[in-house]
Amino acid sequence: MKVLVIGGGAREHALVRAFGADAAVDRIVCAPGNAGIAAEAATRVVPVDVADPAALLALAVREGAELTVVGPELPLARGVADAFADAGRLLFGPSRSAAALESSKAFAKTFMARHGIPTARFEVCTDEGQALEAVAGERFGFPVVVKADGLAAGKGVTVAPDRDAAERAVREAMVARRFGDAGATVVIEECLTGSEVSCFVIADGRRSVTLPAAQDHKRIFDGDAGPNTGGMGAFGPSPLFGPDVESRVMREIVTPALDGMRAEGREYRGVLYVGLMLTRDGPQVIEFNVRLGDPEAQVILPMVESGLVPVLLGAARGDLGDAEWRVTADPRVGVVMASGGYPGAYETGLPISGLAEASSVPGVHVAHAGTAMKDGVVVTSGGRVLTVVARGESFEQAVARAYDAVGRIRFPGSHVRTDIGRKALIAAAGRGRA
Ligand code: AMP
Ligand code: GLY
């Protein structure tokens, strides 16, 4: 079977590797891909504008792709699944109306309210006056969270410590239009406290199978300091996501979400990413995303032991059937190597060395994100450049292997957090087995 993967980050590299290991797949096309994806066996990369559903459909037709799998949210929000469905082509990912769970935070929050899904108290504000009033009063207290309604490349959320900061965030979104139309509406909400966990299910509209949960590291610096990023590293399975939490999340969140979306005529087929805060009052939804997380995918996809393709095909067709689903629970840690200056401005085109040496560390592979080939050399081409992923018999071993490999890779100005996975070590130590 020929599979088309849409996207060009480390998450898509992880998808391509998972398909490469699947006996059902003999050829892979990735659009636009990157230098690491291009080097995978039986894989070709093709340049394409991922924001253009018609171009993606034309590519799938031209390539004879029997299954298309979408990595990022943008093509889904633009209706790529609808374009494929109209043309009778199989694509794994939700329709445009179902993708509203990520593309409109106002929709997601009101949806959760309608279906009794636990989430932070909120108000949807469609004008500046209403938003300034919402952040002024006692209602949400401080810190208060200000969120642009639409897609804002991960930059639309401000956790404001005081009223000044909250008002600034409102004005940036609604008046200065820092996120364009995405900030015309904002959601003001209560700040939740607890531990964040990323939980993923693959849904066929009614039923779902569960991937191991992971923990991301969103801030740029050690100790969760500095600005938010796309994610600087991840580990999984999350020690915080035991069987009790999992069954509660399924009962209180995933099942009502799938049922509610179906009832509202927005049947959900694809990966549902539930961003959770584990609070004292139980798990609450911080956000829904309609795709795998990045860097979470790089650590959890290798845990899928059964073939990924039958499950994705079943979900795309609307019936998971009895496709086999088996995942392992061996600890994995992924450390992101970023360009100096990220998430702000950074230089690109810098040569990367030591990739082969890194991959020779036992249990390690390197997923490429912002990389390109220039004159036969792999160079940087984005903010997040690589995710160095290590498997271990314990988190301790996985962390040690990941950082051993990171130390072998060099490019000018590279930045890594040095504490990825530390929370897993602490959780394990707390249970008396480090
Ligand atoms: P997002 O861009 O929607 O992934 O949000 C970015 C980050 O903001 C999340 O990963 C959380 O750390 C934080 N966040 C969003 N909403 C809340 C909330 N209601 N309470 C506390 N933190 C939040
Ligand atoms: N790692 C967070 C995200 O993919 O949104």
Side-chain angles (χ1 to χ4, degrees), residues 105 145 147 157 189-192 196 218 277 286-287:
K105 292 189 192 293
V145 185
K147 298 184 169 183
V157 175
E189 67 182 44
E190 152 199 34
C191 186
L192 300 171
E196 278 189 66
K218 285 238 161 103
M277 188 73 86
I286 298 174
E287 59 169 352

Side-chain angles (χ1 to χ4, degrees), residues 248-326:
R248 192 163 173 189
V249 167
M250 294 308 290
R251 190 172 65 246
E252 295 179 5
I253 297 169
V254 173
T255 301
L258 296 181
D259 290 348
M261 289 296 276
R262 208 168 58 249
E264 296 193 11
R266 299 174 187 250
E267 183 174 275
Y268 194 93
R269 298 181 188 176
V271 175
L272 181 63
Y273 167 157
V274 186
L276 289 170
M277 188 73 86
L278 303 181
T279 74
R280 271 201 318 211
D281 304 327
Q284 306 236 3
V285 178
I286 298 174
E287 59 169 352
F288 285 123
N289 293 313
V290 299
R291 51 174 174 80
L292 286 165
D294 182 344
E296 293 95 322
Q298 293 87 297
V299 297
I300 62 179
L301 282 174
M303 296 181 198
V304 179
E305 272 191 334
S306 46
L308 196 54
V309 167
V311 170
L312 301 191
L313 276 175
R317 289 190 179 117
D319 183 7
L320 284 170
D322 53 9
E324 189 191 0
W325 185 248
R326 244 178 324 107

Side-chain angles (χ1 to χ4, degrees), residues 1-3 19-20 22-28 41-43 66:
M1 155 179 275
K2 192 169 189 179
V3 175
F19 292 134
D22 194 317
V25 178
D26 50 20
R27 276 172 309 155
I28 303 167
T43 304
E66 293 150 271

Side-chain angles (χ1 to χ4, degrees), residues 11 73 102 154 198 200 215-218 229-234 273 287 289 291-297 384:
R11 167 184 51 206
E73 64 279 10
E102 176 167 359
S198 306
F200 302 89
Q215 286 174 241
D216 190 6
H217 300 67
K218 285 238 161 103
T229 69
M232 291 300 294
Y273 167 157
E287 59 169 352
N289 293 313
R291 51 174 174 80
L292 286 165
D294 182 344
E296 293 95 322
R384 290 190 293 174

